[in-house]
Amino acid sequence: KNEVEQSPQNLTAQEGEFITINCSYSVGISALHWLQQHPGGGIVSLFMLSSGKKKHGRLIATINIQEKHSSLHITASHPRDSAVYICAVGRLRNEKLTFGTGTRLTIIP
Amino acid sequence: GAGVSQSPSNKVTEKGKDVELRCDPISGHTALYWYRQSLGQGLEFLIYFQGNSAPDKSGLPSDRFSAERTGGSVSTLTIQRTQQEDSAVYLCASSLVRGSPLHFGNGTRLTVT
């Protein structure tokens, strides 16, 4: 079993829909990262969080440390949100991130 | 200023040749990471530099891989005697300090023929 599991692997939705991507992990972490990778490969860090909830524009990330679970939400989704969203966890006492396999999101106009 | 810069953006090499990949982190960032993303695979940690501390090399897949970071800034990832399975996108990231958000470069796409 992977230390970081994401679901779903693929998600297609209509423009305007509310999107949720889930991430579960099985190890102790110092922080959880949500990353966005567009076609062409560039990766952008969306959030880094260790507790609670963060919001940036239409994006919201939450984490439940006790349940070892995080969600990334996108409100009022738009075709430009189409990308691969990657969850990664930073382990306690070391800095190497462990990555989920990503969720490929496609928003249809 | 500029973000994390990687060069070359693409590299095609013959099996058995050595390659060097370069990463220029954001100025002032003390932490630097190398990751690899093979086709259809997730990201894989390779090596981590933090300031003047000894690097964490635990992710390097074999002794053909090495990396250095000179003067706490530019880093070079060297792959000796390349193999076809080394074909991947090699990504560099930096952060201001340990535990702060990561900034990724656009990667170097390595193809070993």
Side-chain angles (χ1 to χ4, degrees):
Chain A
K1 187 178 189 299
N2 292 335
E3 292 179 341
V4 181
E5 297 274 358
Q6 283 186 241
S7 63
Q9 288 188 336
N10 292 281
L11 177 58
T12 299
Q14 292 290 133
E15 182 174 357
E17 286 189 36
F18 181 81
I19 302 300
T20 296
I21 299 170
N22 295 299
C23 177
S24 296
Y25 54 93
S26 57
V27 296
I29 69 169
S30 57
L32 184 142
H33 301 251
W34 281 104
L35 310 171
Q36 180 191 57
Q37 185 171 33
H38 276 285
I43 294 178
V44 174
S45 176
L46 299 175
F47 296 103
M48 185 180 81
L49 67 166
S50 55
S51 65
K53 175 179 174 179
K54 288 191 176 180
K55 184 176 188 292
H56 184 246
R58 296 180 294 106
L59 301 178
I60 302 166
T62 64
I63 188 168
N64 185 318
I65 296 295
Q66 288 72 32
E67 294 186 3
K68 291 187 165 61
H69 181 269
S70 175
S71 292
L72 176 69
H73 305 285
I74 305 174
T75 61
S77 59
H78 189 276
R80 64 176 175 267
D81 297 327
S82 298
V84 175
Y85 292 84
I86 302 168
C87 170
V89 299
R91 303 288 297 275
L92 293 171
R93 290 185 296 279
N94 72 54
E95 289 302 314
K96 51 184 177 182
L97 294 182
T98 303
F99 296 86
T101 53
T103 295
R104 183 174 300 277
L105 175 66
T106 303
I107 303 297
I108 299 170
Chain B
V4 177
S5 176
Q6 290 188 245
S7 61
S9 54
N10 283 282
K11 175 73 176 178
V12 180
T13 191
E14 291 181 353
K15 177 181 171 181
K17 296 285 179 71
D18 298 352
V19 294
E20 282 190 355
L21 313 180
R22 178 187 168 103
C23 173
D24 275 286
I26 293 173
S27 178
H29 280 198
T30 63
L32 186 148
Y33 308 77
W34 282 99
Y35 299 98
R36 177 170 74 172
Q37 188 173 35
S38 302
L39 185 63
Q41 303 296 313
L43 284 149
E44 173 189 14
F45 166 81
L46 296 177
I47 188 169
Y48 160 65
F49 295 89
Q50 172 60 57
N52 295 320
S53 303
D56 177 350
K57 304 180 182 180
S58 58
L60 295 178
S62 79
D63 59 9
R64 296 186 295 104
F65 287 72
S66 62
E68 62 177 22
R69 188 178 184 193
T70 54
S73 180
V74 171
S75 177
T76 303
L77 176 69
T78 302
I79 309 173
Q80 295 178 308
R81 305 181 302 281
T82 51
Q83 303 294 313
Q84 288 187 329
E85 62 262 29
D86 300 334
S87 297
V89 175
Y90 289 81
L91 288 153
C92 175
S94 70
S95 64
L96 184 60
V97 294
R98 171 179 173 159
S100 60
L102 295 174
H103 299 260
F104 284 83
N106 287 330
T108 294
R109 182 176 298 277
L110 175 67
T111 303
V112 181
T113 61

Short mmCIF file of all heavy atoms in Angstrom, two decimals, chain A residues 3-4 23-35 47-51 63 65 68 70 86-100, chain B residues 33 35 45 48 56 95 98-102 104:
data_model
loop_
_atom_site.label_atom_id
_atom_site.label_comp_id
_atom_site.label_asym_id
_atom_site.label_seq_id
_atom_site.Cartn_x
_atom_site.Cartn_y
_atom_site.Cartn_z
N GLU A 3 2.16 4.99 0.71
CA GLU A 3 2.04 5.82 1.91
C GLU A 3 1.08 6.98 1.68
O GLU A 3 0.54 7.53 2.64
CB GLU A 3 3.41 6.33 2.31
CG GLU A 3 4.34 5.22 2.82
CD GLU A 3 5.70 5.73 3.19
OE1 GLU A 3 6.08 6.83 2.75
OE2 GLU A 3 6.42 5.03 3.93
N VAL A 4 0.93 7.40 0.43
CA VAL A 4 0.04 8.51 0.09
C VAL A 4 -0.90 8.02 -1.01
O VAL A 4 -0.45 7.60 -2.07
CB VAL A 4 0.82 9.74 -0.40
CG1 VAL A 4 -0.14 10.89 -0.72
CG2 VAL A 4 1.84 10.17 0.64
N CYS A 23 -6.98 12.99 -0.35
CA CYS A 23 -5.64 12.46 -0.11
C CYS A 23 -5.60 11.83 1.27
O CYS A 23 -5.95 12.49 2.26
CB CYS A 23 -4.62 13.58 -0.21
SG CYS A 23 -2.92 13.09 0.16
N SER A 24 -5.20 10.59 1.34
CA SER A 24 -5.02 9.90 2.62
C SER A 24 -3.57 9.45 2.73
O SER A 24 -2.95 9.07 1.74
CB SER A 24 -5.93 8.68 2.70
OG SER A 24 -7.27 9.06 2.68
N TYR A 25 -3.05 9.49 3.94
CA TYR A 25 -1.66 9.11 4.14
C TYR A 25 -1.56 8.26 5.39
O TYR A 25 -2.45 8.26 6.24
CB TYR A 25 -0.76 10.35 4.23
CG TYR A 25 -1.20 11.36 5.26
CD1 TYR A 25 -0.69 11.32 6.55
CD2 TYR A 25 -2.12 12.35 4.93
CE1 TYR A 25 -1.09 12.25 7.50
CE2 TYR A 25 -2.51 13.29 5.88
CZ TYR A 25 -2.00 13.22 7.15
OH TYR A 25 -2.40 14.14 8.10
N SER A 26 -0.47 7.52 5.48
CA SER A 26 -0.39 6.51 6.55
C SER A 26 0.80 6.73 7.47
O SER A 26 1.06 5.90 8.35
CB SER A 26 -0.29 5.12 5.93
OG SER A 26 0.83 5.03 5.06
N VAL A 27 1.52 7.84 7.31
CA VAL A 27 2.72 8.09 8.11
C VAL A 27 2.59 9.40 8.85
O VAL A 27 1.73 10.23 8.53
CB VAL A 27 3.97 8.12 7.21
CG1 VAL A 27 4.21 6.77 6.56
CG2 VAL A 27 3.86 9.20 6.15
N GLY A 28 3.44 9.57 9.85
CA GLY A 28 3.48 10.85 10.54
C GLY A 28 4.08 11.90 9.65
O GLY A 28 5.05 11.66 8.96
N ILE A 29 3.46 13.07 9.63
CA ILE A 29 3.92 14.10 8.71
C ILE A 29 4.17 15.41 9.46
O ILE A 29 3.64 15.66 10.53
CB ILE A 29 2.91 14.36 7.57
CG1 ILE A 29 1.63 15.01 8.10
CG2 ILE A 29 2.60 13.06 6.82
CD1 ILE A 29 0.72 15.54 6.98
N SER A 30 5.03 16.21 8.83
CA SER A 30 5.24 17.56 9.33
C SER A 30 4.37 18.55 8.58
O SER A 30 3.96 19.57 9.12
CB SER A 30 6.72 17.95 9.18
OG SER A 30 7.12 17.84 7.83
N ALA A 31 4.07 18.23 7.32
CA ALA A 31 3.23 19.12 6.52
C ALA A 31 2.72 18.35 5.30
O ALA A 31 3.34 17.37 4.88
CB ALA A 31 3.98 20.36 6.05
N LEU A 32 1.62 18.83 4.75
CA LEU A 32 1.06 18.24 3.54
C LEU A 32 1.02 19.33 2.47
O LEU A 32 0.65 20.48 2.75
CB LEU A 32 -0.33 17.68 3.80
CG LEU A 32 -1.01 16.95 2.65
CD1 LEU A 32 -1.79 15.75 3.15
CD2 LEU A 32 -1.91 17.88 1.84
N HIS A 33 1.42 18.95 1.27
CA HIS A 33 1.46 19.90 0.16
C HIS A 33 0.44 19.49 -0.90
O HIS A 33 0.27 18.29 -1.18
CB HIS A 33 2.83 19.89 -0.52
CG HIS A 33 3.98 20.23 0.37
ND1 HIS A 33 4.67 21.42 0.27
CD2 HIS A 33 4.56 19.55 1.40
CE1 HIS A 33 5.64 21.44 1.18
NE2 HIS A 33 5.59 20.32 1.88
N TRP A 34 -0.22 20.47 -1.48
CA TRP A 34 -0.99 20.27 -2.70
C TRP A 34 -0.28 21.00 -3.83
O TRP A 34 0.03 22.20 -3.72
CB TRP A 34 -2.42 20.79 -2.54
CG TRP A 34 -3.32 19.87 -1.78
CD1 TRP A 34 -3.75 19.99 -0.49
CD2 TRP A 34 -3.93 18.67 -2.28
NE1 TRP A 34 -4.56 18.93 -0.16
CE2 TRP A 34 -4.70 18.11 -1.23
CE3 TRP A 34 -3.90 18.00 -3.51
CZ2 TRP A 34 -5.43 16.93 -1.37
CZ3 TRP A 34 -4.62 16.83 -3.65
CH2 TRP A 34 -5.38 16.30 -2.59
N LEU A 35 -0.05 20.26 -4.91
CA LEU A 35 0.68 20.79 -6.07
C LEU A 35 -0.20 20.68 -7.30
O LEU A 35 -1.06 19.79 -7.39
CB LEU A 35 1.97 19.99 -6.30
CG LEU A 35 2.89 19.79 -5.10
CD1 LEU A 35 4.00 18.81 -5.45
CD2 LEU A 35 3.47 21.11 -4.65
N PHE A 47 -0.73 24.78 -1.89
CA PHE A 47 -0.87 24.91 -0.44
C PHE A 47 0.17 24.06 0.26
O PHE A 47 0.59 23.02 -0.23
CB PHE A 47 -2.24 24.40 0.05
CG PHE A 47 -3.42 25.19 -0.45
CD1 PHE A 47 -4.21 24.70 -1.47
CD2 PHE A 47 -3.76 26.40 0.15
CE1 PHE A 47 -5.31 25.42 -1.92
CE2 PHE A 47 -4.86 27.13 -0.30
CZ PHE A 47 -5.63 26.64 -1.34
N MET A 48 0.57 24.54 1.43
CA MET A 48 1.30 23.72 2.37
C MET A 48 0.60 23.90 3.70
O MET A 48 0.42 25.04 4.17
CB MET A 48 2.76 24.15 2.50
CG MET A 48 3.58 23.24 3.37
SD MET A 48 5.30 23.75 3.50
CE MET A 48 5.19 25.03 4.72
N LEU A 49 0.14 22.81 4.29
CA LEU A 49 -0.60 22.95 5.54
C LEU A 49 -0.31 21.82 6.49
O LEU A 49 0.02 20.71 6.06
CB LEU A 49 -2.12 23.10 5.28
CG LEU A 49 -2.95 21.97 4.70
CD1 LEU A 49 -4.45 22.26 4.88
CD2 LEU A 49 -2.64 21.73 3.26
N SER A 50 -0.39 22.12 7.75
CA SER A 50 -0.17 21.12 8.78
C SER A 50 -1.36 20.97 9.70
O SER A 50 -1.39 20.06 10.53
CB SER A 50 1.09 21.46 9.59
OG SER A 50 0.99 22.76 10.11
N SER A 51 -2.33 21.87 9.58
CA SER A 51 -3.55 21.75 10.37
C SER A 51 -4.62 22.63 9.75
O SER A 51 -4.31 23.59 9.03
CB SER A 51 -3.31 22.16 11.82
OG SER A 51 -3.00 23.53 11.88
N ILE A 63 -7.19 19.76 6.16
CA ILE A 63 -6.47 18.59 6.64
C ILE A 63 -7.00 18.18 8.00
O ILE A 63 -7.31 19.04 8.83
CB ILE A 63 -4.94 18.83 6.68
CG1 ILE A 63 -4.20 17.53 6.98
CG2 ILE A 63 -4.58 19.92 7.67
CD1 ILE A 63 -2.70 17.63 6.76
N ILE A 65 -5.61 15.88 10.86
CA ILE A 65 -4.41 15.16 11.28
C ILE A 65 -4.77 13.83 11.93
O ILE A 65 -4.10 12.82 11.69
CB ILE A 65 -3.58 16.02 12.24
CG1 ILE A 65 -3.08 17.29 11.54
CG2 ILE A 65 -2.42 15.23 12.81
CD1 ILE A 65 -2.11 17.05 10.43
N LYS A 68 -5.67 11.49 9.28
CA LYS A 68 -4.64 11.40 8.24
C LYS A 68 -5.30 11.57 6.85
O LYS A 68 -5.12 10.72 5.95
CB LYS A 68 -3.88 10.07 8.33
CG LYS A 68 -2.99 9.96 9.56
CD LYS A 68 -2.13 8.70 9.50
CE LYS A 68 -1.00 8.72 10.50
NZ LYS A 68 -1.40 8.79 11.90
N SER A 70 -6.64 14.65 3.84
CA SER A 70 -6.73 16.02 3.36
C SER A 70 -7.61 16.06 2.13
O SER A 70 -7.70 15.08 1.38
CB SER A 70 -5.34 16.56 3.03
OG SER A 70 -5.42 17.86 2.46
N ILE A 86 -1.54 17.02 -7.28
CA ILE A 86 -0.69 16.06 -6.58
C ILE A 86 -0.64 16.40 -5.10
O ILE A 86 -0.41 17.56 -4.72
CB ILE A 86 0.74 16.08 -7.16
CG1 ILE A 86 0.73 15.76 -8.66
CG2 ILE A 86 1.63 15.09 -6.42
CD1 ILE A 86 2.05 16.04 -9.35
N CYS A 87 -0.87 15.40 -4.30
CA CYS A 87 -0.73 15.51 -2.85
C CYS A 87 0.65 14.97 -2.46
O CYS A 87 1.09 13.95 -2.99
CB CYS A 87 -1.84 14.70 -2.19
SG CYS A 87 -1.69 14.48 -0.42
N ALA A 88 1.34 15.65 -1.58
CA ALA A 88 2.65 15.18 -1.12
C ALA A 88 2.77 15.45 0.37
O ALA A 88 2.29 16.48 0.86
CB ALA A 88 3.77 15.88 -1.87
N VAL A 89 3.41 14.53 1.07
CA VAL A 89 3.57 14.72 2.51
C VAL A 89 5.05 14.83 2.86
O VAL A 89 5.89 14.12 2.31
CB VAL A 89 2.90 13.59 3.32
CG1 VAL A 89 1.41 13.56 3.05
CG2 VAL A 89 3.52 12.24 3.04
N GLY A 90 5.33 15.74 3.76
CA GLY A 90 6.67 15.89 4.29
C GLY A 90 6.77 15.08 5.57
O GLY A 90 5.96 15.28 6.49
N ARG A 91 7.71 14.19 5.61
CA ARG A 91 7.82 13.29 6.75
C ARG A 91 8.41 14.00 7.96
O ARG A 91 9.18 14.95 7.84
CB ARG A 91 8.71 12.10 6.38
CG ARG A 91 8.25 11.33 5.17
CD ARG A 91 7.02 10.52 5.47
NE ARG A 91 7.29 9.50 6.48
CZ ARG A 91 7.80 8.31 6.21
NH1 ARG A 91 8.06 7.96 4.97
NH2 ARG A 91 8.01 7.45 7.18
N LEU A 92 8.08 13.48 9.14
CA LEU A 92 8.67 13.99 10.37
C LEU A 92 10.18 13.74 10.34
O LEU A 92 10.64 12.70 9.94
CB LEU A 92 8.06 13.28 11.57
CG LEU A 92 6.58 13.56 11.83
CD1 LEU A 92 6.05 12.63 12.90
CD2 LEU A 92 6.37 15.00 12.24
N ARG A 93 10.94 14.73 10.75
CA ARG A 93 12.40 14.63 10.92
C ARG A 93 13.16 14.47 9.62
O ARG A 93 14.36 14.30 9.63
CB ARG A 93 12.78 13.51 11.89
CG ARG A 93 12.39 13.81 13.32
CD ARG A 93 12.89 12.72 14.26
NE ARG A 93 12.26 11.45 13.99
CZ ARG A 93 11.06 11.11 14.43
NH1 ARG A 93 10.36 11.97 15.12
NH2 ARG A 93 10.55 9.93 14.16
N ASN A 94 12.51 14.49 8.49
CA ASN A 94 13.29 14.61 7.27
C ASN A 94 12.47 15.38 6.24
O ASN A 94 11.30 15.63 6.44
CB ASN A 94 13.77 13.26 6.73
CG ASN A 94 12.65 12.43 6.15
OD1 ASN A 94 11.91 12.88 5.28
ND2 ASN A 94 12.50 11.22 6.63
N GLU A 95 13.12 15.77 5.18
CA GLU A 95 12.50 16.71 4.27
C GLU A 95 12.06 16.10 2.95
O GLU A 95 11.51 16.78 2.11
CB GLU A 95 13.49 17.86 3.97
CG GLU A 95 13.69 18.77 5.14
CD GLU A 95 12.37 19.40 5.59
OE1 GLU A 95 11.60 19.87 4.74
OE2 GLU A 95 12.10 19.39 6.79
N LYS A 96 12.32 14.80 2.76
CA LYS A 96 11.96 14.28 1.46
C LYS A 96 10.46 14.06 1.39
O LYS A 96 9.88 13.41 2.24
CB LYS A 96 12.72 13.00 1.14
CG LYS A 96 12.66 11.92 2.18
CD LYS A 96 13.53 10.77 1.75
CE LYS A 96 13.57 9.67 2.80
NZ LYS A 96 14.45 8.57 2.40
N LEU A 97 9.86 14.63 0.37
CA LEU A 97 8.42 14.48 0.19
C LEU A 97 8.09 13.12 -0.39
O LEU A 97 8.83 12.59 -1.21
CB LEU A 97 7.89 15.57 -0.75
CG LEU A 97 7.96 17.01 -0.26
CD1 LEU A 97 7.35 17.94 -1.29
CD2 LEU A 97 7.26 17.18 1.07
N THR A 98 6.97 12.58 0.06
CA THR A 98 6.40 11.38 -0.54
C THR A 98 5.15 11.81 -1.29
O THR A 98 4.28 12.46 -0.70
CB THR A 98 6.07 10.33 0.51
OG1 THR A 98 7.26 10.02 1.26
CG2 THR A 98 5.54 9.07 -0.14
N PHE A 99 5.06 11.44 -2.55
CA PHE A 99 4.02 11.96 -3.42
C PHE A 99 2.93 10.93 -3.67
O PHE A 99 3.20 9.74 -3.79
CB PHE A 99 4.62 12.36 -4.77
CG PHE A 99 5.60 13.48 -4.71
CD1 PHE A 99 6.93 13.23 -4.43
CD2 PHE A 99 5.21 14.79 -4.90
CE1 PHE A 99 7.86 14.25 -4.36
CE2 PHE A 99 6.12 15.83 -4.82
CZ PHE A 99 7.45 15.56 -4.55
N GLY A 100 1.70 11.42 -3.80
CA GLY A 100 0.65 10.62 -4.37
C GLY A 100 0.81 10.55 -5.88
O GLY A 100 1.66 11.25 -6.45
N TYR B 33 16.02 20.77 -3.70
CA TYR B 33 15.61 19.38 -3.86
C TYR B 33 15.70 18.98 -5.33
O TYR B 33 15.40 19.78 -6.21
CB TYR B 33 14.14 19.20 -3.43
CG TYR B 33 13.78 19.73 -2.07
CD1 TYR B 33 13.60 21.09 -1.85
CD2 TYR B 33 13.58 18.86 -1.00
CE1 TYR B 33 13.26 21.57 -0.60
CE2 TYR B 33 13.22 19.34 0.25
CZ TYR B 33 13.06 20.70 0.45
OH TYR B 33 12.72 21.17 1.68
N TYR B 35 13.98 15.99 -7.80
CA TYR B 35 12.99 14.94 -7.93
C TYR B 35 13.04 14.40 -9.36
O TYR B 35 13.54 15.06 -10.26
CB TYR B 35 11.57 15.47 -7.65
CG TYR B 35 11.37 16.02 -6.28
CD1 TYR B 35 11.44 17.39 -6.04
CD2 TYR B 35 11.09 15.18 -5.20
CE1 TYR B 35 11.24 17.91 -4.76
CE2 TYR B 35 10.89 15.70 -3.93
CZ TYR B 35 10.97 17.05 -3.72
OH TYR B 35 10.78 17.56 -2.47
N PHE B 45 11.53 11.37 -4.95
CA PHE B 45 12.60 12.16 -4.34
C PHE B 45 13.96 11.58 -4.69
O PHE B 45 14.16 10.35 -4.69
CB PHE B 45 12.41 12.13 -2.82
CG PHE B 45 13.61 12.62 -2.05
CD1 PHE B 45 13.82 13.97 -1.88
CD2 PHE B 45 14.51 11.72 -1.48
CE1 PHE B 45 14.92 14.42 -1.15
CE2 PHE B 45 15.60 12.16 -0.75
CZ PHE B 45 15.81 13.51 -0.59
N TYR B 48 18.37 16.01 -1.33
CA TYR B 48 17.98 17.26 -0.67
C TYR B 48 19.22 17.93 -0.09
O TYR B 48 20.03 17.27 0.58
CB TYR B 48 16.97 16.95 0.43
CG TYR B 48 16.79 17.99 1.51
CD1 TYR B 48 16.29 19.25 1.21
CD2 TYR B 48 17.11 17.70 2.83
CE1 TYR B 48 16.11 20.20 2.21
CE2 TYR B 48 16.94 18.65 3.83
CZ TYR B 48 16.44 19.89 3.52
OH TYR B 48 16.26 20.83 4.51
N ASP B 56 20.97 14.95 1.99
CA ASP B 56 20.23 13.69 2.15
C ASP B 56 20.18 13.04 0.77
O ASP B 56 19.41 13.45 -0.09
CB ASP B 56 18.82 13.98 2.67
CG ASP B 56 17.97 12.72 2.81
OD1 ASP B 56 18.37 11.65 2.32
OD2 ASP B 56 16.88 12.82 3.39
N SER B 95 13.33 26.05 -1.57
CA SER B 95 12.47 26.72 -0.60
C SER B 95 13.35 27.62 0.25
O SER B 95 14.54 27.38 0.42
CB SER B 95 11.68 25.74 0.25
OG SER B 95 12.53 24.94 1.03
N ARG B 98 14.04 25.31 5.41
CA ARG B 98 13.43 23.99 5.61
C ARG B 98 11.98 24.13 6.07
O ARG B 98 11.70 24.92 6.97
CB ARG B 98 14.25 23.25 6.66
CG ARG B 98 13.65 21.96 7.13
CD ARG B 98 14.54 21.32 8.14
NE ARG B 98 13.91 20.16 8.74
CZ ARG B 98 14.56 19.19 9.34
NH1 ARG B 98 15.87 19.25 9.43
NH2 ARG B 98 13.93 18.18 9.85
N GLY B 99 11.10 23.44 5.42
CA GLY B 99 9.70 23.45 5.85
C GLY B 99 8.85 24.54 5.23
O GLY B 99 7.66 24.62 5.53
N SER B 100 9.41 25.39 4.40
CA SER B 100 8.60 26.44 3.76
C SER B 100 8.17 25.97 2.37
O SER B 100 8.68 24.97 1.86
CB SER B 100 9.37 27.75 3.69
OG SER B 100 10.56 27.61 2.96
N PRO B 101 7.20 26.66 1.75
CA PRO B 101 6.67 26.18 0.47
C PRO B 101 7.74 26.02 -0.61
O PRO B 101 8.72 26.75 -0.65
CB PRO B 101 5.67 27.27 0.08
CG PRO B 101 5.22 27.84 1.39
CD PRO B 101 6.44 27.81 2.26
N LEU B 102 7.50 25.06 -1.47
CA LEU B 102 8.44 24.74 -2.53
C LEU B 102 8.16 25.53 -3.80
O LEU B 102 7.01 25.81 -4.13
CB LEU B 102 8.36 23.25 -2.87
CG LEU B 102 8.79 22.27 -1.78
CD1 LEU B 102 8.50 20.86 -2.22
CD2 LEU B 102 10.25 22.44 -1.46
N PHE B 104 9.10 25.14 -7.81
CA PHE B 104 9.65 24.18 -8.75
C PHE B 104 10.16 24.87 -10.02
O PHE B 104 9.59 25.85 -10.49
CB PHE B 104 8.57 23.17 -9.16
CG PHE B 104 8.28 22.13 -8.13
CD1 PHE B 104 7.42 22.39 -7.08
CD2 PHE B 104 8.87 20.88 -8.20
CE1 PHE B 104 7.16 21.44 -6.12
CE2 PHE B 104 8.61 19.91 -7.25
CZ PHE B 104 7.75 20.19 -6.20
#
